[in-house]
Amino acid sequence: MNVVQLLAQGDGVSRSVAALLLLMSVASWIAILLKAWLLRGGTRAVLRSIAAFWQAPSITEAEQGLRAFDGPRLVLPAVVALKALAADKGGATLGHAGDRNQRLTRTLRDALHAALRRLQSGQILLATVGATAPFVGLLGTVWGIHGALAGIAGEAGGFTIDKVAGPVGEALIMTAFGLAVAIPAVLGYNVFGRIIGRIEVELEGFAHDLLAVFGEAPSVALPPAQPLPV
C-alpha cells in the first residue's frame, strides 16, 4: 500500500495529521530557502560592507558604496540613520530631546534592532516545526494503530501476526513523516542560528564604533580623582 492509498483509506484524523505535516514541511522549507538567500554571504558580506564604509572618504560615498556591497541590507540601515542624523537640524519634538550622543545611540539602536529582526525572522517557525513535527507524526501513528486494531478486532479468526503487522507498519509511516519534516527544520535552525550570532556580534561592534567616532565628547569634564585618606 502506498501513501496515497493509506490516506484514501484513513479517516478524518489521519488526513488532518498528514495535511498538517505537509503544511509544516512547506512552511519550513520556504523559511529555509528565504533565510539561505538572506544569509548567502554570511559574515563575509557584513565584514566587506564594514570595511568599505571605513575606507570611504565621506558618509555619502560610504552609503553609495554599501548599496553594492551590502546585499542583505544589514549594515546600510545604520549608515542611512547616521546620515539622516547628521543632516537633522533639530526640532521641538521628543525625538530631538537629549544631546547628540543620546540621539545617536537611539538611532543606531533602532537600526540595529531592525537588522536583527530581519535576521531572526523565520527562526521561531523552524524551532516550532522541529519541536512539534515528531509529536504530530506520533499522533498520527497512535491513531492509525488504534484504528487498525479496532478493525482487526471486528474480524473473525482473532489476532494473528499477519493481520497486525501490516496495518501497524502502515501507521508507523506517520512517525517517519514527522521526522522527515522535523530534521531539516532543526538543522536549518542550528546552522542559521550560528551565522546570525556571528553577524550580530559584528553589527554590534560596528554600532559601537560609529558611536565612538561620530559621537560628541562629554561637555562637562569629570573632577580629578582625590586620593583616599590613609
Side-chain angles (χ1 to χ4, degrees), residues 25-98:
S25 177
V26 172
S28 63
W29 276 108
I30 290 176
I32 289 173
L33 294 177
L34 291 178
K35 296 286 290 187
W37 176 257
L38 176 64
L39 304 175
R40 61 190 180 275
T43 55
R44 290 178 297 178
V46 176
L47 292 175
R48 287 197 299 265
S49 300
I50 294 176
F53 172 82
W54 293 117
Q55 293 174 3
S58 65
I59 298 179
T60 302
E61 295 185 12
E63 179 188 2
Q64 296 174 355
L66 284 180
R67 295 188 184 278
F69 282 96
D70 190 15
R73 295 297 188 265
L74 300 175
V75 180
L76 185 61
V79 178
V80 173
L82 179 64
K83 180 182 177 182
L85 181 63
D88 191 0
K89 301 302 182 180
T93 62
L94 293 177
H96 297 89

Side-chain angles (χ1 to χ4, degrees), residues 35-195:
K35 296 286 290 187
W37 176 257
L38 176 64
L39 304 175
R40 61 190 180 275
T43 55
R44 290 178 297 178
V46 176
L47 292 175
R48 287 197 299 265
S49 300
I50 294 176
F53 172 82
W54 293 117
Q55 293 174 3
S58 65
I59 298 179
T60 302
E61 295 185 12
E63 179 188 2
Q64 296 174 355
L66 284 180
R67 295 188 184 278
F69 282 96
D70 190 15
R73 295 297 188 265
L74 300 175
V75 180
L76 185 61
V79 178
V80 173
L82 179 64
K83 180 182 177 182
L85 181 63
D88 191 0
K89 301 302 182 180
T93 62
L94 293 177
H96 297 89
D99 57 15
R100 178 181 172 83
N101 283 344
Q102 293 173 338
R103 288 186 283 120
L104 180 58
T105 300
R106 183 169 60 250
T107 301
L108 293 177
R109 183 183 64 242
D110 293 341
L112 179 62
H113 287 176
L116 294 181
R117 282 194 297 269
R118 290 191 61 204
L119 290 173
Q120 294 292 342
S121 62
Q123 288 293 96
I124 296 179
L125 173 64
L126 295 179
T128 303
V129 171
T132 59
F135 296 100
V136 175
L138 183 60
L139 173 61
T141 295
V142 173
W143 187 261
I145 292 175
H146 168 72
L149 295 179
I152 294 173
E155 297 180 359
F159 286 92
T160 62
I161 295 297
D162 295 336
K163 291 182 179 180
V164 176
V168 171
E170 294 166 0
L172 290 175
I173 295 178
M174 285 296 182
T175 300
F177 286 169
L179 293 176
V181 173
I183 290 175
V186 172
L187 291 177
Y189 176 82
N190 291 332
V191 171
F192 294 144
R194 186 178 182 88
I195 298 175

